[in-house]
């Protein structure tokens, strides 16, 4: 991610950075879409995941990952706005770490650190914890098959949100309250989702399979909607 983010910054300008990062985010999040479609069909109507099914999914994803890594070799050299190649900084690792620390301890980076921590918890929860909790909740019919479906819907949501940023990116940056409105809308949606998850899943679903009831009757539609 740091390397890809650095490359995106080098090939973008102030006017194109939002668009380029949104396009990158769409391509990146599409992995949730395709990967979970594969898992959904491979694991369909299976109560237990046999070795052949697991091997098929792992090898398919491994092949895609290897191909994507090879594509990085064909990326062009970043150029500046005047068409010249961007000069590389050949500083030693110690110097690079020192510069990184100096940047990380600035006032604005320390403020952003709070949001970075929140994003880390969010990614961990949505990519690992939530799907497992749904799969462990036996009050949900065919709960194991819901796991790839939820991952698929998360990917669709990420792609749609990135498309929205591409469409309204210029308006957001040109309006003084644009970023604030986007953040408020995103927080309202996210907090509503967390509340729905809290009401729909039993407390001990995070630890393993359970037949306990949640605050509300566990619903297939609520699990997918959240």
């Amino acid at each position: 991610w740091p390397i890809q983010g650095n490359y995106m910054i080098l090939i973008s300008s102030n006017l194109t950075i939002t668009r380029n990062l949104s396009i990158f985010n769409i391509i990146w999040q599409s992995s949730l879409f395709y990967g979970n479609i594969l898992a959904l069909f491979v694991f369909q109507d299976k109560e237990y995941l046999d070795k052949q099914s697991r091997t098929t999914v792992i090898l398919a994803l491994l092949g895609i990952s290897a191909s994507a890594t090879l594509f990085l070799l064909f990326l062009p050299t970043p150029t500046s706005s005047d068409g010249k190649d961007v000069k590389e900084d050949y500083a030693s690792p110690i110097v690079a770490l020192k510069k990184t620390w100096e940047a990380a301890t600035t006032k604005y980076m320390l403020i952003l650190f709070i949001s970075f921590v929140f994003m880390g918890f969010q990614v961990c929860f949505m990519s690992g914890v939530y799907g497992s909790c749904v799969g462990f909740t036996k009050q949900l019919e065919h709960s194991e098959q819901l796991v790839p479906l939820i991952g698929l819907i998360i990917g669709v949501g990420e792609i749609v949100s990135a498309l929205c940023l591409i469409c309204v990116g210029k308006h957001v940056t040109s309006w003084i309250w644009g970023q604030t409105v986007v953040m408020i809308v995103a927080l309202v949606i996210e907090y509503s989702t967390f509340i729905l998850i809290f009401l729909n899943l039993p407390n001990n679903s995070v630890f393993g399979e359970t037949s306990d009831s949640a605050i509300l009757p566990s619903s297939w539609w609520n699990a997918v909607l959240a």
Side-chain angles (χ1 to χ4, degrees):
W1 286 2
I3 296 173
Q4 292 173 330
N6 182 64
Y7 185 83
M8 292 294 298
I9 292 173
L10 292 176
I11 64 173
S12 304
S13 64
N14 292 335
L15 297 177
T16 61
I17 185 66
T18 300
R19 181 202 64 190
N20 292 346
L21 288 177
S22 298
I23 294 174
F24 169 78
N25 192 51
I26 290 174
I27 298 173
W28 172 51
Q29 294 296 344
S30 65
S31 62
L32 289 172
F33 186 78
Y34 301 119
N36 283 287
I37 284 181
L38 173 64
L40 186 63
F41 282 102
V42 173
F43 299 156
Q44 189 174 12
D45 299 328
K46 292 186 178 181
E47 185 176 356
Y48 299 100
L49 303 182
D50 55 274
K51 181 179 179 181
Q52 182 179 359
S53 299
R54 297 196 304 269
T55 303
T56 300
V57 173
I58 291 174
L59 290 179
L61 298 180
L62 179 62
I64 295 173
S65 299
S67 301
T69 303
L70 290 176
F71 274 115
L72 294 176
L73 300 175
F74 299 96
L75 292 176
T77 303
T79 56
S80 59
S81 57
D82 56 2
K84 297 181 180 179
D85 291 346
V86 177
K87 294 183 179 180
E88 299 183 17
D89 187 359
Y90 293 101
S92 66
I94 301 299
V95 175
L97 286 174
K98 183 179 179 181
K99 290 182 178 179
T100 301
W101 176 255
E102 291 175 352
T105 52
T106 58
K107 179 178 66 174
Y108 293 110
M109 286 300 296
L110 291 176
I111 294 174
L112 287 172
F113 179 77
I114 300 173
S115 63
F116 294 157
V117 172
F118 175 77
M119 289 174 62
F121 281 121
Q122 179 197 44
V123 171
C124 178
F125 178 79
M126 298 307 296
S127 62
V129 177
Y130 181 56
S132 300
C133 291
V134 171
F136 289 148
T137 303
K138 297 308 174 184
Q139 292 284 345
L140 296 170
E141 186 178 0
H142 304 298
S143 58
E144 293 86 358
Q145 297 180 24
L146 275 177
V147 177
L149 180 60
I150 287 173
L152 173 64
I153 295 175
I154 291 175
V156 172
E158 296 280 0
I159 293 173
V160 171
S161 62
L163 286 173
C164 291
L165 282 178
I166 292 177
C167 296
V168 302
K170 291 183 179 180
H171 302 287
V172 170
T173 54
S174 61
W175 184 33
I176 187 173
W177 297 105
Q179 295 180 350
T180 303
V181 171
V182 171
M183 291 297 296
I184 292 175
V185 171
L187 286 174
V188 169
I189 294 174
E190 187 153 22
Y191 290 157
S192 301
T193 300
F194 286 147
I195 293 173
L196 184 59
I197 292 172
F198 175 74
L199 297 175
N200 192 54
L201 299 179
N203 291 335
N204 56 349
S205 62
V206 70
F207 301 112
E209 294 185 357
T210 178
S211 298
D212 293 352
S213 300
I215 297 176
L216 297 178
S218 296
S219 167
W220 190 89
W221 284 107
N222 286 341
V224 172
L225 180 62

